[in-house]
């Protein structure tokens, strides 16, 4: 049984006075959801999106050296 079916079954067993409360709650949830979606669409992009969208502004200079510098060896450290 799906959640929707369970909800319908539960609503069908409620007294009439509680059905109005459930309906008011469902309408409240719908309003909150639409408000949240509007805020999400108007919010600033996250750091990852900003970084990725501005990636072309970075210089590719760091890619000119194909290898990493030589790391010190154990002997170099303990000399």
């Amino acid at each position: 049984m799906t959640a929707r079916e369970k909800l319908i079954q539960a609503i069908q067993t409620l007294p009439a006075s509680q059905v109005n409360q459930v309906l008011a709650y469902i309408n409240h949830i719908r309003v909150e959801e639409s408000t949240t979606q509007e805020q999400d669409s108007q919010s600033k992009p996250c750091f990852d999106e900003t970084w990725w969208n501005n990636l072309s502004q970075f210089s590719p200079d760091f890619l000119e050296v194909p290898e990493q510098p030589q790391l010190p060896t154990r002997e170099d450290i303990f000399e």
Side-chain angles (χ1 to χ4, degrees), residues 12-65:
Q12 289 174 343
T13 61
L14 286 176
S17 62
Q18 291 180 341
V19 171
N20 288 332
Q21 290 176 334
V22 171
L23 180 59
Y25 180 71
I26 290 172
N27 288 331
H28 176 73
I29 291 172
R30 285 181 176 169
V31 169
E32 279 185 356
E33 181 66 25
S34 65
T35 304
T36 303
Q37 287 176 353
E38 288 174 11
Q39 288 174 350
D40 289 345
S41 66
Q42 295 174 358
S43 65
K44 293 181 181 179
C46 68
F47 173 77
D48 292 342
E49 286 181 43
T50 304
W51 183 84
W52 186 255
N53 292 338
N54 294 320
L55 187 60
S56 63
Q57 295 177 5
F58 293 101
S59 169
D61 293 344
F62 68 94
L63 295 176
E64 290 180 8
V65 179

